[in-house]
Amino acid sequence: MRILKLLLLTVLLSTLIACAPLVKDGQPIVAQTDTLLRAGQTLGQTFTARDRGLNGIEVFLAPETSGTGVIRLRLRASPQSLDDLVTTTLDATTVTRPGFYRFAFTPQADSRGRDYYLLLELSNGAVRVGTANGDAYLDGALYRDGTPLD
């Protein structure tokens, strides 16, 4: 009886662990934080999702000038698309020190192998965005105001 209880407990714990979200680094290198995002400008990045259930994106941000607005992340199918698949925001006042900040959204069930374009906008103030050289992430390109930079 004791062995059966232990087996059931093991199965139960393994199913609970399987429900935890998986976080992966898509571009773990941050070579510089001199890319400035100001109100009225946009920064974008194309990328390919590796797994199903994409439910958030972490962006390296650093404070520049205080702002009372929001940083808006729009997820689109491509840089040419005007339709948002997802829109999420982060209060600009929470960016108090350099680090990765998460933009969470509803899971995208069919995301595995799919190409996306993320677009960042700031309503007020300025923040620095961590970037890397073009060869750090070969499946995408950085965009400023809709124009690819690399």
Side-chain angles (χ1 to χ4, degrees), residues 65-135:
T65 59
S66 61
T68 57
V70 295
I71 304 167
R72 183 174 315 280
L73 183 142
R74 298 176 184 276
L75 187 66
R76 297 178 174 173
S78 72
Q80 296 76 32
S81 177
L82 299 177
D83 298 325
D84 296 335
L85 302 171
V86 168
T87 302
T88 186
T89 60
L90 177 72
D91 190 335
T93 61
T94 63
V95 182
T96 57
R97 61 183 174 82
F100 284 95
Y101 291 83
R102 183 168 180 79
F103 292 85
F105 46 80
T106 305
Q108 304 298 296
D110 60 345
S111 60
R112 184 177 183 163
R114 188 171 174 189
D115 292 330
Y116 289 101
Y117 175 64
L118 75 85
L119 184 68
L120 292 175
E121 303 168 320
L122 180 63
S123 66
N124 186 19
V127 294
R128 296 204 172 270
V129 180
T131 60
N133 296 329
D135 60 353

